[in-house]
């Protein structure tokens, strides 16, 4: 995984370069309307691909932070799941920073990216047809694990993932990008939740909760 420390995420460089080039061409041709449109596109790409530096908060050991910016839209207890006890859904829009960050110090145990459609989340088929990614992070010393799914909504860009399987990751590390999507976290039985529905989360900085003890399940 490459460092991504510039003010604009590397995934947006081509978009920004194209809009700037278009603005220069339209300026040279005295096409004022198109020049203004290209200028607005440039501002849009700067905004959606912004890459602010985030402070790693000094939470207690076994803490889990939000992997995305967004709003908690649902919290559900899973009665019939053996590995996971809770499911949290976080809605991220074009107004949120699009970078994805590692929720706790862990190893990426599983990663899959499924290319698909980009239907509106209002469409009932979006849950099954839209582009999505599935990742499982695990701390092998404590056996604590967490599953994350990223489901794309209507977006001009697909999901990007930089991390690879078996990679050791620090809490807060950038591992990808998703513009306008829904993130679902599946949390184990030994997790103490620290958020409520409607909470506004900031990736890397907002605390989701803690693993309370070593997970005995294998």
């Amino acid at each position: 995984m490459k460092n991504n420390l510039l003010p604009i995420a590397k995934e947006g460089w081509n978009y920004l370069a194209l809009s700037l080039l278009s603005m220069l061409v339209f300026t040279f041709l005295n096409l004022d309307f198109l020049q203004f449109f290209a200028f607005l596109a440039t501002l849009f790409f700067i905004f959606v691909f912004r890459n602010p530096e985030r402070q790693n908060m000094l939470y207690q050991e076994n803490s889990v932070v939000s992997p995305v910016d967004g709003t908690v839209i649902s919290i559900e207890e899973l009665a019939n799941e053996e590995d996971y006890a809770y499911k949290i859904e976080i809605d991220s829009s074009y107004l949120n920073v699009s970078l994805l960050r590692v929720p706790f110090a862990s190893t990426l145990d599983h990663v899959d990216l499924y290319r698909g459609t980009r239907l509106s989340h209002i469409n009932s088929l979006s849950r099954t047809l839209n582009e999505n990614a599935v990742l499982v992070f695990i701390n092998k010393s404590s056996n604590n694990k967490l599953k994350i799914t990223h489901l794309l909504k209507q977006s001009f860009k697909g999901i990007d993932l930089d991390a690879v399987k078996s990679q050791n990751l620090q809490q807060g590390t950038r591992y990808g990008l998703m513009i306008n999507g829904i993130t679902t976290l599946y949390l184990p039985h030994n997790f103490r939740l620290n958020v409520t529905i409607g909470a506004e989360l900031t990736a890397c900085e907002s605390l989701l909760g803690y693993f309370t003890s070593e997970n005995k399940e294998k």
Side-chain angles (χ1 to χ4, degrees), residues 10 26 41 59 177 212:
K10 60 183 175 60
F26 295 145
Y59 293 120
L177 177 144
T212 57

Coordinates of all heavy atoms in Angstrom, one line a residue, residues 10 26 41 59 177 212:
K10 N -4.7 10.4 -4.5 CA -4.1 10.1 -5.8 C -5.1 9.6 -6.8 O -5.0 9.7 -8.0 CB -3.0 9.0 -5.6 CG -3.4 7.7 -5.0 CD -2.3 6.8 -4.8 CE -2.7 5.5 -4.0 NZ -3.7 4.8 -4.7
F26 N -10.7 25.7 -23.1 CA -11.9 26.5 -23.3 C -11.5 28.0 -23.1 O -12.1 28.9 -23.8 CB -13.0 26.1 -22.3 CG -13.5 24.7 -22.5 CD1 -13.9 23.9 -21.5 CD2 -13.6 24.2 -23.8 CE1 -14.4 22.6 -21.7 CE2 -14.1 22.9 -24.1 CZ -14.5 22.1 -23.0
A41 N -16.2 22.0 -12.4 CA -15.8 20.6 -12.3 C -14.5 20.5 -11.5 O -14.3 19.5 -10.7 CB -15.6 20.0 -13.7
Y59 N -6.8 6.6 22.1 CA -7.8 5.8 22.8 C -7.2 4.6 23.6 O -6.0 4.3 23.3 CB -8.9 5.3 21.9 CG -9.8 6.3 21.3 CD1 -9.8 6.5 19.9 CD2 -10.5 7.2 22.1 CE1 -10.6 7.5 19.3 CE2 -11.3 8.2 21.5 CZ -11.3 8.3 20.1 OH -12.1 9.3 19.6
L177 N -10.7 4.0 -1.1 CA -11.5 5.2 -1.3 C -12.9 4.8 -1.9 O -13.0 3.9 -2.7 CB -10.9 6.2 -2.4 CG -11.6 7.4 -2.8 CD1 -10.6 8.6 -3.0 CD2 -12.4 7.2 -4.1
T212 N -13.8 -6.0 24.5 CA -13.8 -6.0 25.9 C -12.8 -7.1 26.5 O -12.4 -7.0 27.6 CB -15.2 -6.3 26.5 OG1 -15.7 -7.5 26.0 CG2 -16.1 -5.1 26.2

